Amino acid sequence: MTADQFFSLFHQYGLILICAVIFCEYMNLPGFPAGVIMPSIGVLIAQSELSLLLTIVLSIIFGVLGSLVIYGLCYAGGEPIMHKLFGKSEKFQSFVQKCHYYIDAQHGRGLAFCRIIPVLRTIVSIPAGLIRMPVKWFIGWSAAGIAVWNTVLISFGYFFSEKILTLL
């Protein structure tokens, strides 16, 4: 897909396209790195007539929804699914144990903090589901962390869009 094709889709679908991309990014689908996607969304919003505030609110909602998919799979399927996906990988098991400890020790606040750490921010839904964190805690703490992450990155792209575009 060329840049022209993408911009054509954006002008045609606007916020629907943004919501779909954010949903996929929070489901940890390959090819959607937030460090690139979120500021790019800010640039696109700045170059359109769409609202920055509405975009940020929708990004939080669709970020939580995407995270809920991973959380739900891990909550429902638990460790058997993880063993099928990752085998007996000591590295993965160690990661899950560290996340369990951190989330438990912080009473959920750790989840919000994990949401602002690159890479960990999307993977943290896995241990949250595996330890069967209460859904209301998962949604609340995820929304808090996602709000910080998305607001900072989208706003960066929005407010620095002219400078970013001159670099391209």
Side-chain angles (χ1 to χ4, degrees), residues 22-29 32-34 38 63 66-68 70-71 74 95 111 114-128 138 142 146 149-150:
I22 290 171
F23 180 79
C24 290
E25 198 278 325
Y26 275 90
M27 284 186 10
N28 206 23
L29 294 177
F32 291 96
M38 298 299 173
S67 297
L68 272 168
I70 302 297
Y71 167 84
C74 293
F95 164 76
L111 181 66
C114 288
R115 290 282 180 203
I116 59 173
I117 299 172
V119 180
L120 185 57
R121 51 180 284 288
T122 53
I123 299 172
V124 75
S125 298
I126 295 170
F138 179 80
S142 288
I146 289 169
W149 179 263
N150 289 5

PDB file of all heavy atoms in Angstrom, residues 22-29 32-34 38 63 66-68 70-71 74 95 111 114-128 138 142 146 149-150:
ATOM      1  N   ILE A  22      -5.838   1.075  16.062  1.00  0.00           N
ATOM      2  CA  ILE A  22      -5.545   1.052  17.503  1.00  0.00           C
ATOM      3  C   ILE A  22      -5.995  -0.265  18.121  1.00  0.00           C
ATOM      4  O   ILE A  22      -5.274  -0.863  18.925  1.00  0.00           O
ATOM      5  CB  ILE A  22      -6.185   2.260  18.213  1.00  0.00           C
ATOM      6  CG1 ILE A  22      -5.448   3.535  17.784  1.00  0.00           C
ATOM      7  CG2 ILE A  22      -6.163   2.094  19.729  1.00  0.00           C
ATOM      8  CD1 ILE A  22      -6.101   4.812  18.225  1.00  0.00           C
ATOM      9  N   PHE A  23      -7.153  -0.745  17.739  1.00  0.00           N
ATOM     10  CA  PHE A  23      -7.644  -2.034  18.228  1.00  0.00           C
ATOM     11  C   PHE A  23      -6.634  -3.140  17.904  1.00  0.00           C
ATOM     12  O   PHE A  23      -6.266  -3.926  18.776  1.00  0.00           O
ATOM     13  CB  PHE A  23      -9.011  -2.332  17.596  1.00  0.00           C
ATOM     14  CG  PHE A  23      -9.615  -3.630  18.032  1.00  0.00           C
ATOM     15  CD1 PHE A  23     -10.248  -3.736  19.256  1.00  0.00           C
ATOM     16  CD2 PHE A  23      -9.562  -4.748  17.202  1.00  0.00           C
ATOM     17  CE1 PHE A  23     -10.823  -4.938  19.654  1.00  0.00           C
ATOM     18  CE2 PHE A  23     -10.128  -5.949  17.593  1.00  0.00           C
ATOM     19  CZ  PHE A  23     -10.757  -6.044  18.823  1.00  0.00           C
ATOM     20  N   CYS A  24      -6.169  -3.173  16.658  1.00  0.00           N
ATOM     21  CA  CYS A  24      -5.183  -4.187  16.240  1.00  0.00           C
ATOM     22  C   CYS A  24      -3.860  -4.021  16.986  1.00  0.00           C
ATOM     23  O   CYS A  24      -3.246  -5.010  17.387  1.00  0.00           O
ATOM     24  CB  CYS A  24      -4.941  -4.113  14.734  1.00  0.00           C
ATOM     25  SG  CYS A  24      -6.353  -4.664  13.762  1.00  0.00           S
ATOM     26  N   GLU A  25      -3.430  -2.794  17.170  1.00  0.00           N
ATOM     27  CA  GLU A  25      -2.167  -2.535  17.870  1.00  0.00           C
ATOM     28  C   GLU A  25      -2.226  -3.063  19.297  1.00  0.00           C
ATOM     29  O   GLU A  25      -1.282  -3.665  19.784  1.00  0.00           O
ATOM     30  CB  GLU A  25      -1.859  -1.032  17.855  1.00  0.00           C
ATOM     31  CG  GLU A  25      -0.411  -0.701  18.150  1.00  0.00           C
ATOM     32  CD  GLU A  25      -0.073  -0.678  19.631  1.00  0.00           C
ATOM     33  OE1 GLU A  25      -0.934  -0.275  20.430  1.00  0.00           O
ATOM     34  OE2 GLU A  25       1.046  -1.068  19.972  1.00  0.00           O
ATOM     35  N   TYR A  26      -3.343  -2.878  19.973  1.00  0.00           N
ATOM     36  CA  TYR A  26      -3.467  -3.354  21.354  1.00  0.00           C
ATOM     37  C   TYR A  26      -3.710  -4.854  21.442  1.00  0.00           C
ATOM     38  O   TYR A  26      -3.564  -5.441  22.506  1.00  0.00           O
ATOM     39  CB  TYR A  26      -4.538  -2.575  22.122  1.00  0.00           C
ATOM     40  CG  TYR A  26      -3.949  -1.317  22.694  1.00  0.00           C
ATOM     41  CD1 TYR A  26      -3.958  -0.126  21.979  1.00  0.00           C
ATOM     42  CD2 TYR A  26      -3.315  -1.327  23.922  1.00  0.00           C
ATOM     43  CE1 TYR A  26      -3.376   1.020  22.485  1.00  0.00           C
ATOM     44  CE2 TYR A  26      -2.730  -0.191  24.444  1.00  0.00           C
ATOM     45  CZ  TYR A  26      -2.765   0.981  23.711  1.00  0.00           C
ATOM     46  OH  TYR A  26      -2.177   2.107  24.225  1.00  0.00           O
ATOM     47  N   MET A  27      -4.050  -5.474  20.318  1.00  0.00           N
ATOM     48  CA  MET A  27      -4.116  -6.942  20.288  1.00  0.00           C
ATOM     49  C   MET A  27      -2.735  -7.505  19.979  1.00  0.00           C
ATOM     50  O   MET A  27      -2.573  -8.703  19.833  1.00  0.00           O
ATOM     51  CB  MET A  27      -5.139  -7.423  19.267  1.00  0.00           C
ATOM     52  CG  MET A  27      -6.536  -7.263  19.754  1.00  0.00           C
ATOM     53  SD  MET A  27      -7.845  -7.953  18.719  1.00  0.00           S
ATOM     54  CE  MET A  27      -7.072  -8.916  17.506  1.00  0.00           C
ATOM     55  N   ASN A  28      -1.757  -6.612  19.855  1.00  0.00           N
ATOM     56  CA  ASN A  28      -0.365  -6.987  19.649  1.00  0.00           C
ATOM     57  C   ASN A  28      -0.136  -7.667  18.302  1.00  0.00           C
ATOM     58  O   ASN A  28       0.682  -8.554  18.175  1.00  0.00           O
ATOM     59  CB  ASN A  28       0.123  -7.886  20.799  1.00  0.00           C
ATOM     60  CG  ASN A  28       1.607  -7.783  20.991  1.00  0.00           C
ATOM     61  OD1 ASN A  28       2.216  -6.798  20.606  1.00  0.00           O
ATOM     62  ND2 ASN A  28       2.184  -8.795  21.586  1.00  0.00           N
ATOM     63  N   LEU A  29      -0.882  -7.219  17.296  1.00  0.00           N
ATOM     64  CA  LEU A  29      -0.686  -7.767  15.963  1.00  0.00           C
ATOM     65  C   LEU A  29       0.592  -7.202  15.363  1.00  0.00           C
ATOM     66  O   LEU A  29       0.885  -6.017  15.517  1.00  0.00           O
ATOM     67  CB  LEU A  29      -1.885  -7.438  15.064  1.00  0.00           C
ATOM     68  CG  LEU A  29      -3.190  -8.106  15.479  1.00  0.00           C
ATOM     69  CD1 LEU A  29      -4.324  -7.665  14.572  1.00  0.00           C
ATOM     70  CD2 LEU A  29      -3.068  -9.618  15.464  1.00  0.00           C
ATOM     71  N   PHE A  32       2.234  -3.165  13.810  1.00  0.00           N
ATOM     72  CA  PHE A  32       1.572  -1.983  14.331  1.00  0.00           C
ATOM     73  C   PHE A  32       2.300  -1.445  15.561  1.00  0.00           C
ATOM     74  O   PHE A  32       1.774  -1.482  16.664  1.00  0.00           O
ATOM     75  CB  PHE A  32       0.116  -2.290  14.703  1.00  0.00           C
ATOM     76  CG  PHE A  32      -0.768  -2.568  13.528  1.00  0.00           C
ATOM     77  CD1 PHE A  32      -1.016  -3.862  13.136  1.00  0.00           C
ATOM     78  CD2 PHE A  32      -1.331  -1.530  12.813  1.00  0.00           C
ATOM     79  CE1 PHE A  32      -1.831  -4.129  12.054  1.00  0.00           C
ATOM     80  CE2 PHE A  32      -2.146  -1.787  11.735  1.00  0.00           C
ATOM     81  CZ  PHE A  32      -2.402  -3.095  11.346  1.00  0.00           C
ATOM     82  N   PRO A  33       3.534  -0.945  15.433  1.00  0.00           N
ATOM     83  CA  PRO A  33       4.242  -0.422  16.610  1.00  0.00           C
ATOM     84  C   PRO A  33       3.677   0.932  17.054  1.00  0.00           C
ATOM     85  O   PRO A  33       3.582   1.866  16.266  1.00  0.00           O
ATOM     86  CB  PRO A  33       5.688  -0.289  16.133  1.00  0.00           C
ATOM     87  CG  PRO A  33       5.574  -0.086  14.656  1.00  0.00           C
ATOM     88  CD  PRO A  33       4.345  -0.850  14.221  1.00  0.00           C
ATOM     89  N   ALA A  34       3.317   1.038  18.302  1.00  0.00           N
ATOM     90  CA  ALA A  34       2.680   2.254  18.817  1.00  0.00           C
ATOM     91  C   ALA A  34       3.568   3.476  18.737  1.00  0.00           C
ATOM     92  O   ALA A  34       3.074   4.588  18.546  1.00  0.00           O
ATOM     93  CB  ALA A  34       2.236   2.050  20.259  1.00  0.00           C
ATOM     94  N   MET A  38       0.924   5.860  16.882  1.00  0.00           N
ATOM     95  CA  MET A  38       0.216   6.900  17.641  1.00  0.00           C
ATOM     96  C   MET A  38       0.614   8.313  17.208  1.00  0.00           C
ATOM     97  O   MET A  38      -0.269   9.140  16.971  1.00  0.00           O
ATOM     98  CB  MET A  38       0.420   6.707  19.147  1.00  0.00           C
ATOM     99  CG  MET A  38      -0.123   5.408  19.683  1.00  0.00           C
ATOM    100  SD  MET A  38      -1.900   5.237  19.442  1.00  0.00           S
ATOM    101  CE  MET A  38      -2.126   3.570  19.987  1.00  0.00           C
ATOM    102  N   GLY A  63      -8.254   0.887  22.571  1.00  0.00           N
ATOM    103  CA  GLY A  63      -7.090   0.269  23.197  1.00  0.00           C
ATOM    104  C   GLY A  63      -7.515  -0.719  24.269  1.00  0.00           C
ATOM    105  O   GLY A  63      -6.998  -1.833  24.362  1.00  0.00           O
ATOM    106  N   GLY A  66      -9.135  -3.803  22.539  1.00  0.00           N
ATOM    107  CA  GLY A  66      -8.112  -4.692  21.992  1.00  0.00           C
ATOM    108  C   GLY A  66      -7.407  -5.470  23.086  1.00  0.00           C
ATOM    109  O   GLY A  66      -7.137  -6.666  22.954  1.00  0.00           O
ATOM    110  N   SER A  67      -7.113  -4.793  24.195  1.00  0.00           N
ATOM    111  CA  SER A  67      -6.474  -5.456  25.337  1.00  0.00           C
ATOM    112  C   SER A  67      -7.384  -6.509  25.950  1.00  0.00           C
ATOM    113  O   SER A  67      -6.919  -7.559  26.405  1.00  0.00           O
ATOM    114  CB  SER A  67      -6.107  -4.421  26.401  1.00  0.00           C
ATOM    115  OG  SER A  67      -5.173  -3.516  25.907  1.00  0.00           O
ATOM    116  N   LEU A  68      -8.692  -6.229  25.959  1.00  0.00           N
ATOM    117  CA  LEU A  68      -9.655  -7.182  26.523  1.00  0.00           C
ATOM    118  C   LEU A  68      -9.695  -8.493  25.747  1.00  0.00           C
ATOM    119  O   LEU A  68      -9.969  -9.549  26.323  1.00  0.00           O
ATOM    120  CB  LEU A  68     -11.059  -6.566  26.566  1.00  0.00           C
ATOM    121  CG  LEU A  68     -11.390  -5.767  27.811  1.00  0.00           C
ATOM    122  CD1 LEU A  68     -12.678  -4.979  27.625  1.00  0.00           C
ATOM    123  CD2 LEU A  68     -11.468  -6.651  29.037  1.00  0.00           C
ATOM    124  N   ILE A  70      -7.091 -10.063  24.306  1.00  0.00           N
ATOM    125  CA  ILE A  70      -5.969 -10.867  24.793  1.00  0.00           C
ATOM    126  C   ILE A  70      -6.228 -11.320  26.235  1.00  0.00           C
ATOM    127  O   ILE A  70      -6.033 -12.483  26.576  1.00  0.00           O
ATOM    128  CB  ILE A  70      -4.641 -10.070  24.722  1.00  0.00           C
ATOM    129  CG1 ILE A  70      -4.364  -9.601  23.302  1.00  0.00           C
ATOM    130  CG2 ILE A  70      -3.483 -10.871  25.296  1.00  0.00           C
ATOM    131  CD1 ILE A  70      -4.179 -10.694  22.304  1.00  0.00           C
ATOM    132  N   TYR A  71      -6.673 -10.394  27.070  1.00  0.00           N
ATOM    133  CA  TYR A  71      -6.992 -10.705  28.463  1.00  0.00           C
ATOM    134  C   TYR A  71      -8.035 -11.827  28.524  1.00  0.00           C
ATOM    135  O   TYR A  71      -7.875 -12.798  29.267  1.00  0.00           O
ATOM    136  CB  TYR A  71      -7.515  -9.444  29.149  1.00  0.00           C
ATOM    137  CG  TYR A  71      -8.176  -9.675  30.485  1.00  0.00           C
ATOM    138  CD1 TYR A  71      -7.427  -9.771  31.648  1.00  0.00           C
ATOM    139  CD2 TYR A  71      -9.566  -9.775  30.590  1.00  0.00           C
ATOM    140  CE1 TYR A  71      -8.028  -9.973  32.875  1.00  0.00           C
ATOM    141  CE2 TYR A  71     -10.178  -9.975  31.805  1.00  0.00           C
ATOM    142  CZ  TYR A  71      -9.409 -10.078  32.948  1.00  0.00           C
ATOM    143  OH  TYR A  71     -10.011 -10.284  34.163  1.00  0.00           O
ATOM    144  N   CYS A  74      -6.689 -15.278  27.592  1.00  0.00           N
ATOM    145  CA  CYS A  74      -5.843 -15.819  28.665  1.00  0.00           C
ATOM    146  C   CYS A  74      -6.660 -16.148  29.907  1.00  0.00           C
ATOM    147  O   CYS A  74      -6.387 -17.130  30.596  1.00  0.00           O
ATOM    148  CB  CYS A  74      -4.714 -14.843  28.993  1.00  0.00           C
ATOM    149  SG  CYS A  74      -3.560 -14.680  27.629  1.00  0.00           S
ATOM    150  N   PHE A  95       9.072 -14.320  32.585  1.00  0.00           N
ATOM    151  CA  PHE A  95       8.367 -13.060  32.326  1.00  0.00           C
ATOM    152  C   PHE A  95       6.986 -13.072  32.977  1.00  0.00           C
ATOM    153  O   PHE A  95       6.592 -12.123  33.656  1.00  0.00           O
ATOM    154  CB  PHE A  95       8.246 -12.816  30.817  1.00  0.00           C
ATOM    155  CG  PHE A  95       7.236 -11.777  30.463  1.00  0.00           C
ATOM    156  CD1 PHE A  95       7.520 -10.432  30.651  1.00  0.00           C
ATOM    157  CD2 PHE A  95       6.000 -12.133  29.967  1.00  0.00           C
ATOM    158  CE1 PHE A  95       6.576  -9.469  30.347  1.00  0.00           C
ATOM    159  CE2 PHE A  95       5.063 -11.176  29.656  1.00  0.00           C
ATOM    160  CZ  PHE A  95       5.350  -9.836  29.847  1.00  0.00           C
ATOM    161  N   LEU A 111      -0.447  -2.671  36.660  1.00  0.00           N
ATOM    162  CA  LEU A 111      -0.945  -2.815  35.292  1.00  0.00           C
ATOM    163  C   LEU A 111      -0.940  -1.472  34.576  1.00  0.00           C
ATOM    164  O   LEU A 111      -0.512  -1.377  33.424  1.00  0.00           O
ATOM    165  CB  LEU A 111      -2.357  -3.415  35.294  1.00  0.00           C
ATOM    166  CG  LEU A 111      -2.993  -3.635  33.933  1.00  0.00           C
ATOM    167  CD1 LEU A 111      -2.237  -4.690  33.147  1.00  0.00           C
ATOM    168  CD2 LEU A 111      -4.439  -4.048  34.098  1.00  0.00           C
ATOM    169  N   CYS A 114       2.615  -0.646  33.737  1.00  0.00           N
ATOM    170  CA  CYS A 114       3.096  -1.476  32.624  1.00  0.00           C
ATOM    171  C   CYS A 114       2.574  -0.968  31.278  1.00  0.00           C
ATOM    172  O   CYS A 114       3.228  -1.139  30.252  1.00  0.00           O
ATOM    173  CB  CYS A 114       2.670  -2.926  32.822  1.00  0.00           C
ATOM    174  SG  CYS A 114       3.555  -3.778  34.139  1.00  0.00           S
ATOM    175  N   ARG A 115       1.433  -0.331  31.279  1.00  0.00           N
ATOM    176  CA  ARG A 115       0.838   0.177  30.030  1.00  0.00           C
ATOM    177  C   ARG A 115       1.630   1.326  29.412  1.00  0.00           C
ATOM    178  O   ARG A 115       1.371   1.705  28.274  1.00  0.00           O
ATOM    179  CB  ARG A 115      -0.598   0.636  30.270  1.00  0.00           C
ATOM    180  CG  ARG A 115      -1.547  -0.482  30.545  1.00  0.00           C
ATOM    181  CD  ARG A 115      -1.926  -1.172  29.279  1.00  0.00           C
ATOM    182  NE  ARG A 115      -2.844  -2.262  29.562  1.00  0.00           N
ATOM    183  CZ  ARG A 115      -3.015  -3.296  28.779  1.00  0.00           C
ATOM    184  NH1 ARG A 115      -2.339  -3.381  27.661  1.00  0.00           N
ATOM    185  NH2 ARG A 115      -3.837  -4.246  29.098  1.00  0.00           N
ATOM    186  N   ILE A 116       2.565   1.893  30.152  1.00  0.00           N
ATOM    187  CA  ILE A 116       3.360   2.993  29.578  1.00  0.00           C
ATOM    188  C   ILE A 116       4.806   2.578  29.310  1.00  0.00           C
ATOM    189  O   ILE A 116       5.642   3.411  29.021  1.00  0.00           O
ATOM    190  CB  ILE A 116       3.304   4.256  30.457  1.00  0.00           C
ATOM    191  CG1 ILE A 116       3.820   3.993  31.861  1.00  0.00           C
ATOM    192  CG2 ILE A 116       1.883   4.821  30.501  1.00  0.00           C
ATOM    193  CD1 ILE A 116       3.947   5.230  32.720  1.00  0.00           C
ATOM    194  N   ILE A 117       5.084   1.289  29.366  1.00  0.00           N
ATOM    195  CA  ILE A 117       6.420   0.776  29.074  1.00  0.00           C
ATOM    196  C   ILE A 117       6.375   0.082  27.715  1.00  0.00           C
ATOM    197  O   ILE A 117       5.604  -0.877  27.539  1.00  0.00           O
ATOM    198  CB  ILE A 117       6.892  -0.214  30.160  1.00  0.00           C
ATOM    199  CG1 ILE A 117       6.949   0.486  31.514  1.00  0.00           C
ATOM    200  CG2 ILE A 117       8.244  -0.812  29.786  1.00  0.00           C
ATOM    201  CD1 ILE A 117       7.222  -0.442  32.671  1.00  0.00           C
ATOM    202  N   PRO A 118       7.166   0.562  26.748  1.00  0.00           N
ATOM    203  CA  PRO A 118       7.152  -0.077  25.416  1.00  0.00           C
ATOM    204  C   PRO A 118       7.349  -1.591  25.516  1.00  0.00           C
ATOM    205  O   PRO A 118       8.028  -2.096  26.400  1.00  0.00           O
ATOM    206  CB  PRO A 118       8.335   0.581  24.691  1.00  0.00           C
ATOM    207  CG  PRO A 118       8.462   1.915  25.358  1.00  0.00           C
ATOM    208  CD  PRO A 118       8.115   1.680  26.805  1.00  0.00           C
ATOM    209  N   VAL A 119       6.722  -2.303  24.621  1.00  0.00           N
ATOM    210  CA  VAL A 119       6.688  -3.761  24.511  1.00  0.00           C
ATOM    211  C   VAL A 119       5.839  -4.375  25.629  1.00  0.00           C
ATOM    212  O   VAL A 119       4.873  -5.070  25.351  1.00  0.00           O
ATOM    213  CB  VAL A 119       8.101  -4.410  24.477  1.00  0.00           C
ATOM    214  CG1 VAL A 119       7.996  -5.925  24.368  1.00  0.00           C
ATOM    215  CG2 VAL A 119       8.923  -3.854  23.327  1.00  0.00           C
ATOM    216  N   LEU A 120       6.167  -4.094  26.874  1.00  0.00           N
ATOM    217  CA  LEU A 120       5.416  -4.639  27.999  1.00  0.00           C
ATOM    218  C   LEU A 120       3.961  -4.185  27.969  1.00  0.00           C
ATOM    219  O   LEU A 120       3.072  -4.925  28.388  1.00  0.00           O
ATOM    220  CB  LEU A 120       6.087  -4.213  29.313  1.00  0.00           C
ATOM    221  CG  LEU A 120       5.534  -4.778  30.604  1.00  0.00           C
ATOM    222  CD1 LEU A 120       5.540  -6.293  30.588  1.00  0.00           C
ATOM    223  CD2 LEU A 120       6.324  -4.256  31.778  1.00  0.00           C
ATOM    224  N   ARG A 121       3.710  -3.014  27.444  1.00  0.00           N
ATOM    225  CA  ARG A 121       2.374  -2.417  27.483  1.00  0.00           C
ATOM    226  C   ARG A 121       1.302  -3.255  26.807  1.00  0.00           C
ATOM    227  O   ARG A 121       0.153  -3.240  27.218  1.00  0.00           O
ATOM    228  CB  ARG A 121       2.405  -1.008  26.910  1.00  0.00           C
ATOM    229  CG  ARG A 121       3.062  -0.898  25.575  1.00  0.00           C
ATOM    230  CD  ARG A 121       3.055   0.519  25.058  1.00  0.00           C
ATOM    231  NE  ARG A 121       1.763   0.875  24.567  1.00  0.00           N
ATOM    232  CZ  ARG A 121       1.251   0.401  23.442  1.00  0.00           C
ATOM    233  NH1 ARG A 121       1.925  -0.433  22.705  1.00  0.00           N
ATOM    234  NH2 ARG A 121       0.059   0.778  23.062  1.00  0.00           N
ATOM    235  N   THR A 122       1.650  -3.981  25.746  1.00  0.00           N
ATOM    236  CA  THR A 122       0.639  -4.812  25.102  1.00  0.00           C
ATOM    237  C   THR A 122       0.671  -6.244  25.625  1.00  0.00           C
ATOM    238  O   THR A 122      -0.358  -6.913  25.644  1.00  0.00           O
ATOM    239  CB  THR A 122       0.812  -4.817  23.566  1.00  0.00           C
ATOM    240  OG1 THR A 122       2.146  -5.174  23.245  1.00  0.00           O
ATOM    241  CG2 THR A 122       0.475  -3.472  22.979  1.00  0.00           C
ATOM    242  N   ILE A 123       1.821  -6.698  26.071  1.00  0.00           N
ATOM    243  CA  ILE A 123       1.957  -8.078  26.538  1.00  0.00           C
ATOM    244  C   ILE A 123       1.378  -8.262  27.933  1.00  0.00           C
ATOM    245  O   ILE A 123       0.991  -9.360  28.306  1.00  0.00           O
ATOM    246  CB  ILE A 123       3.447  -8.500  26.501  1.00  0.00           C
ATOM    247  CG1 ILE A 123       3.960  -8.432  25.065  1.00  0.00           C
ATOM    248  CG2 ILE A 123       3.643  -9.893  27.049  1.00  0.00           C
ATOM    249  CD1 ILE A 123       5.447  -8.643  24.939  1.00  0.00           C
ATOM    250  N   VAL A 124       1.251  -7.189  28.705  1.00  0.00           N
ATOM    251  CA  VAL A 124       0.802  -7.290  30.091  1.00  0.00           C
ATOM    252  C   VAL A 124      -0.629  -7.836  30.210  1.00  0.00           C
ATOM    253  O   VAL A 124      -1.014  -8.341  31.262  1.00  0.00           O
ATOM    254  CB  VAL A 124       0.962  -5.939  30.826  1.00  0.00           C
ATOM    255  CG1 VAL A 124      -0.101  -4.948  30.398  1.00  0.00           C
ATOM    256  CG2 VAL A 124       0.967  -6.136  32.323  1.00  0.00           C
ATOM    257  N   SER A 125      -1.387  -7.806  29.138  1.00  0.00           N
ATOM    258  CA  SER A 125      -2.732  -8.391  29.169  1.00  0.00           C
ATOM    259  C   SER A 125      -2.674  -9.901  29.400  1.00  0.00           C
ATOM    260  O   SER A 125      -3.604 -10.483  29.950  1.00  0.00           O
ATOM    261  CB  SER A 125      -3.464  -8.109  27.853  1.00  0.00           C
ATOM    262  OG  SER A 125      -3.617  -6.738  27.656  1.00  0.00           O
ATOM    263  N   ILE A 126      -1.581 -10.522  28.965  1.00  0.00           N
ATOM    264  CA  ILE A 126      -1.450 -11.975  29.108  1.00  0.00           C
ATOM    265  C   ILE A 126      -1.394 -12.381  30.581  1.00  0.00           C
ATOM    266  O   ILE A 126      -2.242 -13.163  31.028  1.00  0.00           O
ATOM    267  CB  ILE A 126      -0.226 -12.492  28.317  1.00  0.00           C
ATOM    268  CG1 ILE A 126      -0.453 -12.264  26.822  1.00  0.00           C
ATOM    269  CG2 ILE A 126       0.031 -13.966  28.613  1.00  0.00           C
ATOM    270  CD1 ILE A 126       0.770 -12.498  25.949  1.00  0.00           C
ATOM    271  N   PRO A 127      -0.425 -11.876  31.354  1.00  0.00           N
ATOM    272  CA  PRO A 127      -0.418 -12.301  32.764  1.00  0.00           C
ATOM    273  C   PRO A 127      -1.642 -11.823  33.537  1.00  0.00           C
ATOM    274  O   PRO A 127      -2.089 -12.509  34.459  1.00  0.00           O
ATOM    275  CB  PRO A 127       0.874 -11.704  33.325  1.00  0.00           C
ATOM    276  CG  PRO A 127       1.306 -10.673  32.360  1.00  0.00           C
ATOM    277  CD  PRO A 127       0.739 -11.050  31.034  1.00  0.00           C
ATOM    278  N   ALA A 128      -2.200 -10.683  33.165  1.00  0.00           N
ATOM    279  CA  ALA A 128      -3.411 -10.213  33.852  1.00  0.00           C
ATOM    280  C   ALA A 128      -4.547 -11.212  33.665  1.00  0.00           C
ATOM    281  O   ALA A 128      -5.306 -11.483  34.602  1.00  0.00           O
ATOM    282  CB  ALA A 128      -3.806  -8.831  33.345  1.00  0.00           C
ATOM    283  N   PHE A 138      -8.983  -4.745  35.647  1.00  0.00           N
ATOM    284  CA  PHE A 138      -8.263  -4.772  34.378  1.00  0.00           C
ATOM    285  C   PHE A 138      -8.667  -3.589  33.499  1.00  0.00           C
ATOM    286  O   PHE A 138      -7.819  -2.876  32.971  1.00  0.00           O
ATOM    287  CB  PHE A 138      -8.508  -6.089  33.638  1.00  0.00           C
ATOM    288  CG  PHE A 138      -7.791  -6.137  32.318  1.00  0.00           C
ATOM    289  CD1 PHE A 138      -6.436  -6.434  32.267  1.00  0.00           C
ATOM    290  CD2 PHE A 138      -8.459  -5.865  31.137  1.00  0.00           C
ATOM    291  CE1 PHE A 138      -5.757  -6.456  31.054  1.00  0.00           C
ATOM    292  CE2 PHE A 138      -7.796  -5.884  29.922  1.00  0.00           C
ATOM    293  CZ  PHE A 138      -6.439  -6.182  29.876  1.00  0.00           C
ATOM    294  N   SER A 142      -6.078  -0.564  33.070  1.00  0.00           N
ATOM    295  CA  SER A 142      -5.638  -0.500  31.672  1.00  0.00           C
ATOM    296  C   SER A 142      -6.001   0.850  31.063  1.00  0.00           C
ATOM    297  O   SER A 142      -5.185   1.477  30.387  1.00  0.00           O
ATOM    298  CB  SER A 142      -6.281  -1.618  30.838  1.00  0.00           C
ATOM    299  OG  SER A 142      -5.723  -2.863  31.162  1.00  0.00           O
ATOM    300  N   ILE A 146      -3.364   3.322  29.422  1.00  0.00           N
ATOM    301  CA  ILE A 146      -3.564   3.573  27.994  1.00  0.00           C
ATOM    302  C   ILE A 146      -3.836   5.053  27.759  1.00  0.00           C
ATOM    303  O   ILE A 146      -3.366   5.634  26.768  1.00  0.00           O
ATOM    304  CB  ILE A 146      -4.707   2.686  27.448  1.00  0.00           C
ATOM    305  CG1 ILE A 146      -4.245   1.220  27.393  1.00  0.00           C
ATOM    306  CG2 ILE A 146      -5.182   3.163  26.081  1.00  0.00           C
ATOM    307  CD1 ILE A 146      -5.356   0.226  27.115  1.00  0.00           C
ATOM    308  N   TRP A 149      -0.412   6.868  27.837  1.00  0.00           N
ATOM    309  CA  TRP A 149       0.401   6.516  26.665  1.00  0.00           C
ATOM    310  C   TRP A 149      -0.164   7.137  25.387  1.00  0.00           C
ATOM    311  O   TRP A 149       0.548   7.807  24.648  1.00  0.00           O
ATOM    312  CB  TRP A 149       0.455   4.993  26.551  1.00  0.00           C
ATOM    313  CG  TRP A 149       1.240   4.482  25.385  1.00  0.00           C
ATOM    314  CD1 TRP A 149       0.734   4.096  24.178  1.00  0.00           C
ATOM    315  CD2 TRP A 149       2.643   4.289  25.297  1.00  0.00           C
ATOM    316  NE1 TRP A 149       1.745   3.671  23.356  1.00  0.00           N
ATOM    317  CE2 TRP A 149       2.932   3.783  24.024  1.00  0.00           C
ATOM    318  CE3 TRP A 149       3.691   4.492  26.188  1.00  0.00           C
ATOM    319  CZ2 TRP A 149       4.221   3.475  23.610  1.00  0.00           C
ATOM    320  CZ3 TRP A 149       4.975   4.180  25.760  1.00  0.00           C
ATOM    321  CH2 TRP A 149       5.229   3.684  24.487  1.00  0.00           C
ATOM    322  N   ASN A 150      -1.441   6.897  25.121  1.00  0.00           N
ATOM    323  CA  ASN A 150      -2.046   7.389  23.875  1.00  0.00           C
ATOM    324  C   ASN A 150      -2.100   8.909  23.829  1.00  0.00           C
ATOM    325  O   ASN A 150      -1.847   9.512  22.784  1.00  0.00           O
ATOM    326  CB  ASN A 150      -3.445   6.814  23.693  1.00  0.00           C
ATOM    327  CG  ASN A 150      -3.433   5.333  23.369  1.00  0.00           C
ATOM    328  OD1 ASN A 150      -2.385   4.691  23.370  1.00  0.00           O
ATOM    329  ND2 ASN A 150      -4.590   4.782  23.121  1.00  0.00           N
TER     330      ASN A 150
END
